């Protein structure tokens, strides 16, 4: 059976790249981060002139990146995991997971720093949801003396630790440029993917 091209994953990647280079061409990356990034302190009443509505910023933040390395790592992960997740969940399941991952990432970042006025930017949180779903849907269990269920969750934990570790290293590296990449957001997005993968899979095949 021929598999459909991962149209949703491709569309997300194209939109992310196009947004980055359009903003870079204007030379207004910092202003774009302020206006379109998710700022936790806005929930407590911080007003940012001319910024997008607060409820929209978890999504708009996915189109903003702190540099080519940040963008490149996210794109590689998006394409690698997204295309496989899209095969399982379909177009709308992937879109829903990506969007909910973005909001879960924003919530996690708010919980660890509710008074932070630093904009959270990047698609890492939403992509983390795809990584979490990928771990659930395609995780390979190695032979183990542990129970199958415990072995599966240990495997997922290792994947989560590796992904978050990579993002933390990127965050540390970015500090040299004066930019902080949100780490809690990646955990929040990953957990959303882990929790939503199976319900979304059942939702897709609910009438089968």
């Amino acid at each position: 059976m021929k598999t459909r091209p991962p149209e949703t994953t491709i569309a997300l990647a194209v939109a992310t790249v196009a947004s980055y280079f359009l903003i870079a061409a204007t030379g207004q990356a910092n202003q774009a981060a302020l206006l379109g990034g998710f700022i936790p302190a806005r929930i407590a009443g911080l007003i940012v002139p001319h910024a997008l509505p607060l409820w929209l910023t978890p999504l708009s933040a996915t189109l903003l990146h702190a540099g080519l390395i940040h963008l490149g790592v996210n794109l590689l992960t998006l394409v690698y995991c997204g295309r496989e997740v899209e095969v399982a969940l379909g177009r709308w399941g992937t879109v829903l997971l990506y969007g909910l991952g973005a909001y879960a990432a924003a919530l996690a970042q708010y919980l660890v720093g509710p008074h932070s006025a630093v904009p959270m930017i990047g698609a890492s949180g939403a992509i983390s949801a795809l990584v979490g779903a990928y771990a659930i849907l395609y995780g390979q269990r190695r032979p183990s003396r542990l129970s199958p269920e415990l072995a599966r969750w240990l495997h997922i934990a290792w994947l989560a630790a590796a992904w978050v570790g990579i993002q933390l290293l990127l965050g540390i590296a970015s500090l040299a440029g004066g930019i902080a990449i949100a780490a809690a957001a990646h955990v929040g997005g990953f957990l959303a993917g882990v929790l939503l993968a199976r319900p979304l899979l059942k939702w897709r095949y609910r009438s089968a």
Side-chain angles (χ1 to χ4, degrees):
M1 184 175 70
K2 187 175 180 180
T3 304
R4 288 185 57 179
E7 297 173 352
T8 299
T9 301
I10 293 172
L12 290 171
V14 169
T16 302
V17 172
S19 175
Y20 175 81
F21 283 105
L22 283 173
I23 292 172
T26 67
Q28 299 295 319
N30 290 336
Q31 185 68 7
L34 182 63
L35 300 184
F38 171 73
I39 301 175
R42 288 188 65 190
I43 295 177
L46 174 67
I47 298 175
V48 180
H50 311 299
L52 292 177
L54 175 61
W55 65 268
L56 186 59
T57 55
L59 296 178
S60 59
T62 66
L63 299 174
L64 306 170
H65 284 80
L68 286 174
I69 295 178
H70 187 202
L71 175 68
V73 171
N74 279 349
L75 282 178
L76 286 174
T77 310
L78 169 61
V79 173
Y80 181 81
C81 293
R83 63 183 180 180
E84 301 298 339
V85 170
E86 188 172 347
V87 169
L89 302 185
R91 174 186 301 169
W92 295 114
T94 303
V95 169
L96 185 59
L97 178 62
Y98 194 83
L100 291 175
Y103 281 96
L107 174 61
Q109 194 62 26
Y110 170 77
L111 291 176
V112 300
H115 303 297
S116 174
V118 178
M120 182 193 82
I121 62 171
S124 305
I127 293 171
S128 292
L130 300 180
V131 176
Y134 180 87
I136 287 289
L137 298 171
Y138 297 102
Q140 296 293 325
R141 294 194 297 267
R142 297 180 180 179
S144 173
R145 295 181 181 180
L146 301 173
S147 68
E149 189 66 14
L150 180 57
R152 181 168 72 91
W153 282 104
L154 283 176
H155 175 75
I156 292 169
W158 276 113
L159 286 175
W163 171 244
V164 173
I166 291 172
Q167 295 298 326
L168 285 174
L169 289 175
L170 285 173
I172 293 171
S174 71
L175 289 176
I179 300 171
I181 297 176
H186 308 141
V187 177
F190 187 91
L191 290 176
V194 167
L195 295 174
L196 292 173
R198 293 191 182 279
L200 287 174
L201 186 65
K202 292 179 180 179
W203 175 67
R204 184 187 185 190
Y205 296 104
R206 61 193 181 281
S207 59

